[in-house]
Amino acid sequence: MSSLRTCARAAIRIQKLTSVIYTGERGIKRWVAPTLRVINKRKAKLGPQPEPRRSNFLDWNYNAEIFAFNKRLSENFDVELLQQAFTHRSYVAQEEQKQREVGIENPELSIKDNTDLIVEGKCLTSEIVERYLRQALPRLPEEGILKLKDYLLSEEIVAKVSVQIGTKDIILSEDHPVRQETLVNTFFALVAALARSNDVVHTSFFVRDFLIATLSDKEILSIWTPSHPFQTLDAILNREKRGSADFRLTAQTGVNTILAAYQVAVYSDQQFLGIGTGETVQVAKNIAALDALQRMFGIADFSRPIPFNLTVDVSSQRTENLPLTKWCTENLKHTVGG
Amino acid sequence: MSNSHLFMKTGFPRAALNNGIGRYVCQLQRVTIKFCKNNGSSRGVRDFLEHDLVNFAKENPGIVVYVKPRRHRTPALSAEYLNGEKQLLFCRNYTREEVNKWLGLLRSQVRDTSAIRLRKMWHTDNPSIQGPWTPWTFRDPAQNLVEFPDPKLFKMETEQQTATEKLLEIFKAQQEAERKRANETG
């Protein structure tokens, strides 16, 4: 009986095996490579295609995008103002043109554009950045503050910030792909919209967290360098009634070789001010003077980093940092207050 | 690094737009969940949509979620990040938990991290707070007090015993042995 059973099992197995063998197919699909090759060829023949507009995709919900934009940045934009901030004049003009083409004589659209928001936001951003930098870097001369402000408000930086907070796909504008200028304008419009929907203090947090925080990994001296370090250092020491800058060669190696290195330190009344190393004495002197200035202005490599948790009060009285021509420790005490 | 990494994009671990210095912004801006309504391979995704999607959307109001049914095709998650990159993740035969976990990954990463080869595990724009290296950076501070000429500085430093020292040692040992012998006999 048991032998019969095993026979039956074997028979079933054989049946299964044969069915596998007969219904099997080739493992290698030989049509794939030629098809891909043809597709590639046709793509190359077409040339570069324009970037598709994300808003034309099937999965796109403008209201949901606006809602998410608000929540993503943990902000409380007024939704109408937010939509207005994203709507550029060129978009409205385009829509009007479309209606005219259909045959409507005087197209009346109830869409508001962001022209006035841009102007307002630009002023406000500039004001906030300037005040914040003065507060964060009280020892930096006014020239440096203005240069840093120009750097932060440059088209490249603001456009980058604007893209990174996710405006690119939501902008309603005629140009596509969106131009840098449009991105920058949108950021300014957003700032104004936030100021209108909340208050200026809240707006300053927005500007601080997204725009000013980009300074965190930058070297300030690479953005702004005093143009005449020797004269500047001498003038400052003179104003502080200290002895003039005394440059001393502290070390040198490889003199008269191509790998020569000199180290120069600056002293005033035998007090150490700064140190620099270079391939010639002149270069080393220059670097030492710059180093001394950096230490005075609080922007040296080892200085405390710029704080990114300050609050700016735009309504308070305008104060300016000391310009280079007036900079000295005594004057600094008067302006900073200790 | 294996051969498959050779032609990958390379990069460093970076936070987008100094994320976290000001405030945290989730870098996933929208996700499209594509699935089939009756194919078995979409079972897990359908379960996810039925049970977890609403919670996910509530917990992450900053992410726009689109759901796109398409017939008889593999389910996929299409993620779009704030830096403009897009990631397509196929989830054929995934369970509900797996879909949840993968979506969690998409939500928490800056970009498609599996698409770049990290050149280093760290990155800094300011590599040193003590400035660039110079021949005098790690100078021994004891050298500041040296008065020249210093006989110590003229001396050649050798770790091994010199031949002269070795000879002297042997000579001393010999003399010692001779003295001992003289004492014993005398």
Side-chain angles (χ1 to χ4, degrees):
Chain A
M1 198 60 194
S2 62
S3 60
L4 241 177
R5 253 181 229 146
T6 45
C7 276
R9 262 182 226 145
I12 290 165
R13 241 176 249 153
I14 287 163
Q15 211 178 354
K16 270 186 186 166
L17 270 179
T18 48
S19 68
V20 166
I21 289 162
Y22 286 124
T23 54
E25 53 180 67
R26 291 178 63 102
I28 303 166
K29 296 186 181 68
R30 298 189 64 175
W31 54 269
V32 174
T35 313
L36 287 180
R37 226 169 276 144
V38 170
I39 289 174
N40 255 343
K41 248 183 213 168
R42 287 186 189 177
K43 263 189 189 169
K45 207 176 171 185
L46 272 178
Q49 293 296 300
E51 197 187 320
R53 260 181 208 258
R54 183 63 181 83
S55 52
N56 286 351
F57 286 21
L58 203 60
D59 43 348
W60 181 262
N61 181 343
Y62 189 72
N63 290 336
E65 294 285 340
I66 290 283
F67 175 81
F69 180 84
N70 214 342
K71 292 290 174 190
R72 184 183 304 135
L73 306 182
S74 354
E75 283 299 348
N76 287 317
F77 281 103
D78 183 54
V79 177
E80 267 183 29
L81 277 171
L82 190 57
Q83 286 189 354
Q84 188 188 342
F86 280 123
T87 314
H88 285 265
R89 178 70 212 142
S90 59
Y91 173 78
V92 180
Q94 197 184 21
E95 290 297 300
E96 282 173 354
Q97 183 61 31
K98 268 183 198 169
Q99 294 212 351
R100 251 180 237 116
E101 275 167 18
V102 174
I104 299 167
E105 292 284 313
N106 294 316
E108 277 184 22
L109 290 167
S110 56
I111 315 171
K112 283 184 194 165
D113 64 68
N114 60 5
T115 318
D116 49 339
L117 283 177
I118 293 170
V119 178
E120 192 185 320
K122 205 169 188 173
C123 290
L124 191 58
T125 315
S126 154
E127 185 74 24
I128 290 171
V129 168
E130 214 173 279
R131 278 169 185 267
Y132 192 92
L133 289 175
R134 281 185 191 135
Q135 205 173 328
L137 298 161
R139 298 173 70 86
L140 194 70
E142 186 63 19
E143 286 89 342
I145 296 283
L146 293 178
K147 203 70 194 268
L148 277 182
K149 188 191 87 179
D150 287 347
Y151 169 78
L152 279 180
L153 294 182
S154 64
E155 198 174 89
E156 202 183 330
I157 300 290
V158 183
K160 203 175 136 201
V161 170
S162 182
V163 168
Q164 297 261 357
I165 59 174
T167 57
K168 202 179 132 196
D169 295 332
I170 320 176
I171 289 175
L172 295 179
S173 166
E174 187 194 22
D175 48 336
H176 178 78
V178 189
R179 275 184 289 125
Q180 265 200 346
E181 195 193 339
T182 317
L183 287 167
V184 173
N185 285 340
T186 312
F187 183 81
F188 291 142
L190 280 173
V191 170
L194 190 59
R196 282 191 198 175
S197 25
N198 287 294
D199 57 343
V200 182
V201 178
H202 196 89
T203 316
S204 73
F205 291 153
F206 178 82
V207 175
R208 177 194 74 188
D209 291 347
F210 294 116
L211 186 62
I212 302 175
T214 51
L215 272 184
S216 65
D217 53 3
K218 297 284 178 305
E219 209 181 350
I220 291 175
L221 214 63
S222 67
I223 299 167
W224 172 73
T225 318
S227 44
H228 304 289
F230 294 120
Q231 285 91 320
T232 314
L233 186 63
D234 265 339
I236 288 174
L237 288 174
N238 198 18
R239 244 170 274 135
E240 289 184 357
K241 299 191 177 67
R242 293 165 76 180
S244 62
D246 187 9
F247 292 88
R248 296 277 179 89
L249 192 66
T250 51
Q252 55 179 0
T253 59
V255 182
N256 296 331
T257 69
I258 51 166
L259 289 176
Y262 299 88
Q263 192 181 46
V264 170
V266 206
Y267 299 87
S268 160
D269 297 336
Q270 298 190 334
Q271 291 289 311
F272 174 80
L273 291 180
I275 197 163
T277 308
E279 62 272 22
T280 63
V281 177
Q282 197 51 41
V283 171
K285 262 179 84 174
N286 204 10
I287 293 174
L290 275 177
D291 186 49
L293 288 176
Q294 267 193 85
R295 285 169 195 247
M296 285 175 179
F297 300 154
I299 51 169
D301 289 334
F302 50 81
S303 302
R304 275 187 57 176
I306 306 173
F308 292 109
N309 53 1
L310 302 179
T311 312
V312 189
D313 189 8
V314 178
S315 57
S316 68
Q317 206 195 346
R318 266 178 82 104
T319 50
E320 285 189 6
N321 276 17
L322 286 173
L324 265 180
T325 45
K326 283 184 187 166
W327 203 97
C328 77
T329 327
E330 195 58 34
N331 288 347
L332 204 66
K333 272 179 199 163
H334 293 307
T335 52
V336 182
Chain B
M1 197 180 83
S2 63
N3 272 346
S4 63
H5 290 78
L6 278 178
F7 300 107
M8 272 173 112
K9 242 189 194 174
T10 62
F12 296 96
R14 301 292 291 145
L17 196 64
N18 310 297
N19 203 357
I21 288 183
R23 66 182 84 169
Y24 174 73
V25 176
C26 176
Q27 293 294 309
L28 180 66
Q29 58 171 343
R30 61 184 78 89
V31 60
T32 309
I33 303 172
K34 301 170 181 174
F35 72 105
C36 171
K37 283 185 182 175
N38 47 10
N39 198 312
S41 63
S42 296
R43 173 74 187 276
V45 177
R46 287 198 302 265
D47 281 351
F48 171 82
L49 296 181
E50 209 169 302
H51 296 105
D52 304 324
L53 182 67
V54 176
N55 281 341
F56 177 82
K58 262 184 199 160
E59 282 163 20
N60 304 289
I63 303 172
V64 191
V65 184
Y66 295 105
V67 176
K68 195 175 175 184
R70 13 176 240 180
R71 266 181 217 162
H72 309 154
R73 293 185 63 183
T74 299
L77 301 176
S78 162
E80 281 166 62
Y81 297 97
L82 279 179
N83 64 358
E85 281 179 19
K86 209 170 168 183
Q87 182 182 6
L88 194 61
L89 188 97
F90 291 108
C91 31
R92 188 180 176 77
N93 292 336
Y94 278 13
T95 60
R96 182 180 145 196
E97 287 74 36
E98 278 175 314
V99 176
N100 244 323
K101 281 185 182 172
W102 280 108
L103 210 53
L105 174 80
L106 297 181
R107 191 194 61 207
S108 53
Q109 63 186 1
V110 181
R111 56 199 288 192
D112 182 3
T113 42
S114 56
I116 57 161
R117 172 168 65 80
L118 291 180
R119 283 199 243 167
K120 280 194 180 82
M121 292 303 162
W122 53 271
H123 180 73
T124 169
D125 285 328
N126 294 321
S128 164
I129 56 162
Q130 64 188 6
W133 180 89
T134 70
W136 308 285
T137 300
F138 299 114
R139 184 165 47 173
D140 183 8
Q143 282 194 12
N144 292 334
L145 301 173
V146 171
E147 281 186 18
F148 298 106
D150 184 18
K152 266 189 190 169
L153 293 175
F154 289 111
K155 218 174 135 188
M156 196 165 76
E157 281 179 18
T158 47
E159 284 186 4
Q160 281 182 335
Q161 219 176 9
T162 58
T164 321
E165 282 168 350
K166 227 178 233 177
L167 269 176
L168 277 173
E169 210 171 77
I170 293 168
F171 179 68
K172 270 180 193 166
Q174 253 179 8
Q175 277 194 328
E176 193 72 12
E178 271 174 24
R179 203 178 301 139
K180 267 186 188 170
R181 213 179 299 140
N183 284 348
E184 278 168 17
T185 51

